Amino acid sequence: MPVLKYNETPAHQVKEGVNRKLLYLNDLMTVIIDFTNGPWDEPDAPHSHPHEQTCYLAEGEIIFICEGEPDQILKAGDMFSVPSNKLHTIQLLSKTARLVDSFNPIRRDFI
């Protein structure tokens, strides 16, 4: 589907307080992730994947943690990127947050 209307698209619950919505083509995926379970006392477990990733923080406040880089406190309007196979994670500082991730190639594990 070439259009995702936010209020008309059901979310997939990843875990309690974390929901995502997907839009994708053959080689590019955009994922809206809504968090309602913050703030967190600790960061989520670090992970890596072969996909290149960019992220726009549309709402909320997080700490972005990426292997080999200083931790960054990010607020709405900020962005980050993650190269392939680099360990990274976030820690939610606000009660809610919305991240808009883009992946290349697409995350087949999300479909």
Side-chain angles (χ1 to χ4, degrees):
M1 171 190 271
V3 172
L4 183 150
K5 292 189 176 184
Y6 185 84
N7 290 330
E8 297 175 17
T9 303
H12 169 76
Q13 185 175 25
V14 178
K15 62 182 179 183
E16 185 67 34
V18 182
N19 292 291
R20 66 180 170 219
K21 299 181 182 199
L22 312 173
L23 182 67
Y24 56 93
L25 297 164
N26 289 332
D27 298 312
L28 179 64
M29 173 179 272
T30 301
V31 180
I32 299 171
I33 307 170
D34 288 310
F35 297 89
T36 57
N37 60 353
W40 301 342
D41 293 332
E42 297 180 6
D44 211 11
H47 66 280
S48 66
H49 42 74
H51 315 83
E52 292 181 313
Q53 176 183 357
T54 61
C55 181
Y56 171 71
L57 184 57
E59 175 189 314
E61 187 173 352
I62 64 169
I63 300 173
F64 171 61
I65 302 161
C66 190
E67 175 184 6
E69 304 289 337
D71 295 356
Q72 297 285 325
I73 295 176
L74 302 177
K75 298 179 181 184
D78 294 338
M79 299 176 75
F80 64 82
S81 64
V82 181
S84 298
N85 300 311
K86 197 151 207 181
L87 280 173
H88 61 284
T89 191
I90 65 165
Q91 180 176 348
L92 191 58
L93 297 177
S94 53
K95 182 178 180 178
T96 63
R98 176 171 291 160
L99 279 62
V100 181
D101 288 336
S102 295
F103 294 100
N104 179 35
I106 66 172
R107 297 281 309 254
R108 295 224 178 262
D109 56 320
F110 282 11
I111 300 172

